[in-house]
């Protein structure tokens, strides 16, 4: 017999051996010896009160042995001689589209502008140490996409878009820890993701798929509104039947190419702001109500904040406890920041994007001439401002948090995890009013919600501008572009996802849609 139950365990109990088994026997009123095993299905922490509680959902096996293997089976088959489906981009959407093609008996041909994860590291080093941005290989472009060198956060609200558990099980199949199947807010960690992505690549190649790195798509050859071929690296053409366009939200050249060719695009609302970085100890003390270091059983504390300011949401985005701020520019002449964490989340800083909702119909009147690309052009301008304010390098403009809210230039800055370094700058006046004024009020409101958060021990760093795509590539119910036959916009780049899991699910959906059409 198997029974699923909820258990609550306090911090003292959590340290005891077999505590879940004891708790289960008490709750079910059965002998301890009758329980063969207790398997954790879900785990979360409730730190709203001083007495911290671990909430468990468990499966209790009563006089029954639990199964050793997952119910999920990934039936990959040899597709080396099968019909071809071309996939542009090898981030989460492109990877999962390729894997799904193989499961369904089709050969994926993946074209990735960047390099594999091993070669990509050299270009990340060049950004951090030499302030040189390789426009095809950086924190956004390359094998695994922007997710490779990120926190690897797997939390998603997109539960109706596909089988979330299946996405997680596939990551475990390729080397992720089974802990991601349990944690309420799972993450993998930037130190673990590259190996998992390499394993996914090897699966695709093993079963007959193709992956071409350093292959940037530079043109679409279209006849009678049908995609006929794609041009690679301004050089040779490759004939196609159908293309899954999974290039991510930073592939501006793709948006610009489609716009030049008068292929239907839409401007899309998005959010922009800054990164805020606190010592992790401050966030721990706030969230766990402790005066000293957090208990060893507790993870680095995270937070989620939202505040309405002048009819717009100001909210935390991509919060990275125990993490690093990284340079996420995709071209020289711009500064963009993002966050990531290692699997142990053991760095001494906590950082999060704090961003403001922008309305594409109300906030970009000066950019109307750019049509569907008006949000993108606004995004570009803000990144250029950050570049010049930082000293024309990957050094980022920074300001102490209270100084920013008070409109005061910081005489000096706190230590930071941002490797290229910070330069004191008046972000309160450099940011457009629609962003800056709301952030200043938002930070003060957050201080009221988390006492100790609003402090000059924190830096803000500019700019957090790549939260999501400012452009939507439309598609019909069958996921094909309404104007161009054979083109299937996908993932974050098309405006249909907001993270690793939702992008992966959309990749699978697009693969299925293409196969249905073929």
């Amino acid at each position: 017999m198997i029974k699923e139950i909820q258990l609550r365990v306090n911090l003292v109990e959590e340290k005891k051996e077999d505590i879940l088994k004891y708790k289960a026997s008490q709750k079910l009123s059965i002998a301890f010896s009758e329980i063969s095993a207790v398997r954790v299905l879900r785990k979360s922490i409730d730190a709203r009160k001083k007495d911290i509680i671990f909430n468990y959902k468990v499966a209790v096996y009563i006089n029954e042995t639990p199964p050793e293997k997952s119910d999920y089976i990934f039936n990959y088959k040899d597709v080396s001689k099968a019909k071809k489906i071309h996939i542009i981009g090898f981030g989460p959407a492109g990877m999962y589209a390729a894997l799904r093609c193989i499961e369904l008996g089709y050969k994926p041909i993946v074209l990735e502008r960047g390099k594999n994860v091993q070669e990509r590291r050299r270009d990340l080093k060049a950004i951090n140490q030499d302030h040189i941005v390789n426009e095809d290989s950086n924190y956004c472009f390359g094998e695994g996409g922007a997710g490779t060198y990120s926190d690897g956060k797997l939390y998603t609200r997109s539960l109706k878009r596909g089988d979330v558990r299946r996405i997680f099980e596939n990551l475990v199949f390729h080397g992720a820890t089974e802990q991601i199947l349990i944690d309420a807010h799972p993450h993998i960690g930037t130190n673990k993701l590259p190996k998992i992505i390499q394993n996914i690549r090897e699966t695709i190649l093993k079963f007959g798929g193709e992956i071409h790195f350093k292959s940037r798509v530079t043109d679409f050859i279209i006849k009678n509104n049908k995609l006929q071929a794609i041009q690679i690296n301004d050089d040779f053409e490759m004939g196609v039947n159908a293309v899954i366009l999974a290039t991510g939200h930073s592939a501006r050249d793709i948006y610009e190419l489609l716009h030049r060719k008068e292929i239907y695009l839409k401007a899309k609302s998005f959010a922009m702001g800054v990164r805020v970085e606190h010592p992790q100890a401050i966030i721990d003390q706030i969230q766990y109500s402790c005066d000293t270091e957090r208990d060893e059983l507790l993870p680095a504390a995270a937070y989620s904040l939202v505040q309405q300011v002048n009819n717009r949401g100001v909210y935390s985005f991509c919060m990275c406890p125990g993490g690093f701020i990284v340079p996420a520019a995709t071209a020289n002449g711009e500064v963009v920041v993002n966050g990531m964490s290692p699997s142990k989340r053991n760095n001494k800083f906590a950082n999060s994007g704090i961003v403001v909702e922008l309305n594409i119909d109300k906030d970009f009147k000066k950019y109307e001439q750019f049509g569907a690309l008006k949000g993108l052009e606004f995004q570009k301008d803000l990144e250029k401002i950050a570049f010049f304010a930082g000293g024309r390098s990957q050094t980022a403009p920074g300001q102490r948090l209270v100084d920013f809210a008070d409109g005061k230039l910081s005489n000096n800055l706190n230590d930071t995890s941002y490797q290229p370094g910070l330069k004191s700058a008046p972000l309160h006046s450099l940011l457009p009013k629609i962003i800056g004024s709301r952030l200043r009020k938002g930070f003060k409101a957050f201080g009221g919600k988390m006492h100790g958060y609003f402090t000059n021990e924190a830096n803000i760093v500019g700019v957090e501008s790549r939260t999501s795509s400012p452009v939507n590539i439309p598609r019909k119910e069958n996921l094909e572009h309404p104007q161009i036959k054979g083109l299937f916009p996908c993932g974050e780049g098309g405006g249909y996802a907001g993270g690793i899991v939702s992008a992966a699910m959309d990749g699978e959906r697009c693969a299925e849609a293409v196969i249905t059409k073929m």
Side-chain angles (χ1 to χ4, degrees):
M1 182 187 298
I2 305 170
K3 288 199 173 183
E4 291 187 7
I5 60 173
Q6 305 283 344
L7 297 175
R8 288 169 59 83
V9 179
N10 64 37
L11 195 54
V12 174
E13 293 172 329
E14 180 74 8
K15 297 177 182 181
K16 295 179 180 179
E17 189 176 355
D18 285 335
I19 186 61
L20 294 181
K21 200 170 178 181
Y22 281 112
K23 287 267 186 179
S25 69
Q26 291 174 350
K27 185 159 187 174
L28 296 172
S29 298
I30 59 175
F32 182 86
S33 58
E34 289 186 65
I35 299 177
S36 308
V38 177
R39 176 165 288 178
V40 177
L41 304 177
R42 183 67 71 191
K43 179 182 179 182
S44 63
I45 297 174
D46 185 349
R48 289 174 295 178
K49 297 180 180 178
K50 193 168 182 66
D51 292 330
I52 294 170
I53 297 295
F54 294 83
N55 290 314
Y56 286 94
K57 180 182 179 183
V58 300
V60 183
Y61 290 79
I62 304 168
N63 297 319
E64 183 172 334
T65 304
E68 293 183 7
K69 294 184 178 180
S70 167
D71 293 334
Y72 282 80
I73 297 173
F74 299 98
N75 185 24
Y76 298 122
K77 55 196 74 172
D78 182 4
V79 296
S80 54
K81 296 180 181 179
K83 286 185 179 179
K84 299 175 181 178
I85 295 175
H86 289 77
I87 300 167
I88 304 175
F90 199 47
M95 287 190 297
Y96 271 79
L99 290 171
R100 190 67 178 137
C101 284
I102 293 172
E103 281 188 282
L104 298 175
Y106 287 76
K107 179 174 182 173
I109 309 293
V110 181
L111 303 164
E112 167 56 51
R113 69 191 297 163
K115 303 174 184 178
N116 66 38
V117 286
Q118 291 83 3
E119 293 183 36
R120 198 174 165 189
R121 292 180 190 276
R122 300 190 193 99
D123 298 310
L124 302 188
K125 184 178 178 181
I127 298 173
N128 281 299
Q129 296 187 2
D130 305 321
H131 300 242
I132 298 170
V133 180
N134 181 326
E135 297 189 3
D136 288 319
S137 179
N138 44 62
Y139 277 95
C140 292
F141 300 148
E143 185 175 24
T148 304
Y149 297 100
S150 72
D151 195 36
K153 279 182 280 293
L154 303 177
Y155 180 70
T156 181
R157 294 184 177 89
S158 304
L159 302 180
K160 295 181 180 179
R161 297 187 186 182
D163 188 342
V164 174
R165 177 77 180 203
R166 174 185 159 83
I167 301 300
F168 283 38
E169 290 278 5
N170 209 332
L171 287 168
V172 172
F173 179 83
H174 284 99
T177 172
E178 290 190 358
Q179 193 65 32
I180 67 171
L181 304 175
I182 296 169
D183 289 342
H185 291 269
H187 80 289
I188 295 176
T190 189
N191 54 320
K192 300 289 182 70
L193 273 165
K195 179 59 179 174
I196 295 165
I197 288 164
Q198 180 182 330
N199 291 342
I200 291 174
R201 179 218 309 164
E202 290 171 356
T203 292
I204 293 168
L205 296 177
K206 175 183 176 181
F207 289 96
E210 296 180 15
I211 303 171
H212 301 273
F213 293 109
K214 304 177 187 177
S215 298
R216 180 161 51 92
V217 172
T218 49
D219 201 4
F220 296 104
I221 290 78
I222 298 167
K223 293 182 181 178
N224 299 322
N225 286 338
K226 171 73 173 69
L227 188 55
Q228 302 282 342
I230 49 180
Q231 184 188 70
I232 311 297
N233 295 334
D234 291 314
D235 186 10
F236 68 94
E237 292 183 8
M238 182 181 290
V240 297
N241 293 313
V243 168
I244 296 174
L245 186 63
T247 48
H249 62 46
S250 289
R252 291 170 169 170
D253 55 328
I254 292 293
Y255 298 135
E256 289 163 354
L257 170 62
L258 295 173
H259 192 60
R260 284 198 307 273
K261 297 181 83 70
E262 298 183 346
I263 294 172
Y264 181 42
L265 301 173
K266 291 196 298 184
K268 175 179 149 303
S269 295
F270 59 110
M272 294 177 69
V274 295
R275 278 261 145 195
V276 61
E277 184 172 61
H278 290 78
Q280 181 64 50
I282 289 178
I283 304 303
D284 289 343
Q285 287 162 13
I286 296 170
Q287 298 295 73
Y288 294 137
S289 302
C290 58
D291 298 324
T292 56
E293 291 186 2
R294 68 179 186 270
D295 190 279
E296 61 182 2
L297 290 183
L298 296 172
Y303 61 81
S304 178
L305 292 166
V306 63
Q307 179 72 29
Q308 287 293 312
V309 179
N310 299 338
N311 299 315
R312 297 293 172 80
V314 178
Y315 60 92
S316 57
F317 171 83
C318 185
M319 198 274 147
C320 298
F324 305 84
I325 299 178
V326 297
T330 52
N332 291 292
E334 64 189 30
V335 164
V336 182
V337 292
N338 195 8
M340 70 179 192
S341 297
S343 58
K344 292 183 179 179
R345 290 182 164 174
N346 56 357
N347 189 43
K348 64 180 182 178
F349 295 104
N351 73 79
S352 178
I354 302 295
V355 296
V356 177
E357 289 179 332
L358 299 176
N359 187 304
I360 202 67
D361 298 318
K362 297 179 180 179
D363 296 335
F364 301 98
K365 299 301 181 184
K366 295 180 180 178
Y367 292 82
E368 290 295 336
Q369 60 181 312
F370 297 105
L373 303 187
K374 58 186 176 181
L376 187 149
E377 292 298 327
F378 177 85
Q379 200 181 51
K380 281 185 184 179
D381 282 352
L382 201 57
E383 293 168 4
K384 288 175 186 174
I385 289 170
F387 176 75
F388 284 105
R392 302 189 180 192
S393 68
Q394 285 304 301
T395 299
Q399 196 169 4
R400 290 181 184 251
L401 178 55
V402 177
D403 288 347
F404 170 76
D406 290 345
K408 174 186 173 184
L409 181 68
S410 299
N411 293 326
N412 51 63
L413 299 172
N414 302 299
D415 290 342
T416 181
S417 66
Y418 184 71
Q419 199 171 339
L422 302 181
K423 180 181 178 182
S424 180
L427 284 166
H428 61 275
S429 61
L430 291 173
L431 291 171
K433 187 177 180 180
I434 55 172
I435 296 174
S437 64
R438 288 184 171 92
L439 284 176
R440 292 164 74 177
K441 293 177 182 177
F443 279 126
K444 290 179 179 179
F446 294 160
K449 295 179 179 184
M450 289 178 62
H451 299 292
Y453 181 92
F454 187 62
T455 171
N456 254 349
E457 290 185 63
N459 291 326
I460 66 163
V461 183
V463 289
E464 172 82 36
S465 52
R466 308 282 179 97
T467 58
S468 64
S469 173
V471 180
N472 169 242
I473 308 175
R475 62 190 189 189
K476 300 181 292 185
E477 283 189 16
N478 70 349
L479 309 190
E480 188 176 33
H481 191 274
Q483 177 188 358
I484 306 301
K485 295 178 181 177
L487 179 64
F488 291 78
C490 182
E492 289 200 27
Y496 300 102
I500 290 173
V501 176
S502 57
M505 288 193 293
D506 201 57
E508 289 200 334
R509 288 182 65 214
C510 284
E512 292 163 2
V514 171
I515 290 166
T516 300
K517 182 83 187 291
M518 289 180 73

